[in-house]
Amino acid sequence: MAARPGLDPEAVLQAAIALADREGLAQLSLASLAAALNVKTPSLYNHIKGLPDLKRQLSRRGLILVKDAMVETVIGKSEDAALLAAGLAYVGFARKQPGLYEAVTAPLTDYEDPELQDAGAQVVSFLLKLLAPYGLSEEDALHVVRGFRSLVHGFASLEGQNGFRMGLDRDESLRRLLQTYLLGLRAGSGK
């Protein structure tokens, strides 16, 4: 079967991102994606290998975009200001692209995928560069990256599930959370 003109792997991926952001990752199926693209489901196989492949592509794209969002926001900043900006950007990405963010954090069956490993490694490498001024050992810095990710992912997940219903400013709560973490980081690094 010939591919529909104008339909290519990137168009399929973009449509999947839009659908996941609008409906949620759990609602993404090949049938729903085909309907959104106005094609028959078998036509998708000209561009993807199936739903697991599509979700892997979503995860990889999400990792790249969350890193890009953090990189963009830290330009001209260093140390605490850079880490604070990166945390705000991370949660901002989850707010702006909730379905794609779900794909970033969804458990995958193919942990050995080199493209996914590379995208994840780029996020960690970027965060390690932000931590360089703190003079941490490599192991300590990796623990800090895990803690940072746990904080921002936990906040983004709770917020995404409508877990913050009080009338308090969520951005202020996030800032305070990150600032408290940074105070601990400074105390632990002797700065």
Side-chain angles (χ1 to χ4, degrees):
M1 179 181 287
R4 186 186 93 188
L7 191 61
D8 59 28
E10 183 62 24
V12 171
L13 185 60
Q14 289 300 319
I17 290 169
L19 190 59
D21 284 343
R22 187 175 58 250
E23 305 293 331
L25 186 64
Q27 300 304 312
L28 178 64
S29 67
L30 294 184
S32 64
L33 180 58
L37 290 166
N38 199 28
V39 298
K40 297 202 181 296
T41 302
S43 298
L44 295 174
Y45 288 96
N46 291 314
H47 309 288
I48 58 172
K49 295 174 185 166
L51 190 58
D53 175 56
L54 179 62
K55 287 186 175 181
R56 181 194 61 79
Q57 289 183 47
L58 289 169
S59 183
R60 180 176 177 271
R61 180 64 58 92
L63 284 166
I64 291 167
L65 292 177
V66 77
K67 181 195 70 111
D68 289 350
M70 289 189 294
V71 167
E72 185 177 311
T73 195
V74 304
I75 294 172
K77 297 175 179 74
S78 63
E79 296 187 26
D80 289 6
L83 285 167
L84 179 63
L88 293 170
Y90 186 100
V91 173
F93 175 82
R95 288 172 178 165
K96 182 179 175 187
Q97 299 216 247
L100 190 56
Y101 180 70
E102 279 183 81
V104 167
T105 60
L108 297 170
T109 56
D110 189 5
Y111 294 106
E112 301 302 317
D113 182 280
E115 289 180 335
L116 271 178
Q117 287 181 348
D118 181 58
Q122 287 182 36
V123 173
V124 172
S125 177
F126 167 71
L127 291 170
L128 289 173
K129 287 178 186 170
L130 292 183
L131 291 170
Y134 294 90
L136 302 169
S137 70
E138 182 179 350
E139 182 177 330
D140 287 342
L142 286 170
H143 285 299
V144 170
V145 168
R146 277 186 176 172
F148 177 84
R149 180 175 179 233
S150 296
L151 286 174
V152 293
H153 170 65
F155 192 94
S157 295
L158 285 168
E159 185 178 66
Q161 296 171 6
N162 202 20
F164 300 130
R165 296 181 188 185
M166 292 180 185
L168 291 171
D169 181 346
R170 291 187 308 263
D171 288 336
E172 182 60 23
S173 295
L174 177 58
R175 262 189 228 81
R176 288 183 185 203
L177 175 66
L178 290 167
Q179 287 168 338
T180 301
Y181 187 71
L182 293 170
L183 286 172
L185 174 59
R186 283 221 171 267
S189 68
K191 284 198 149 211

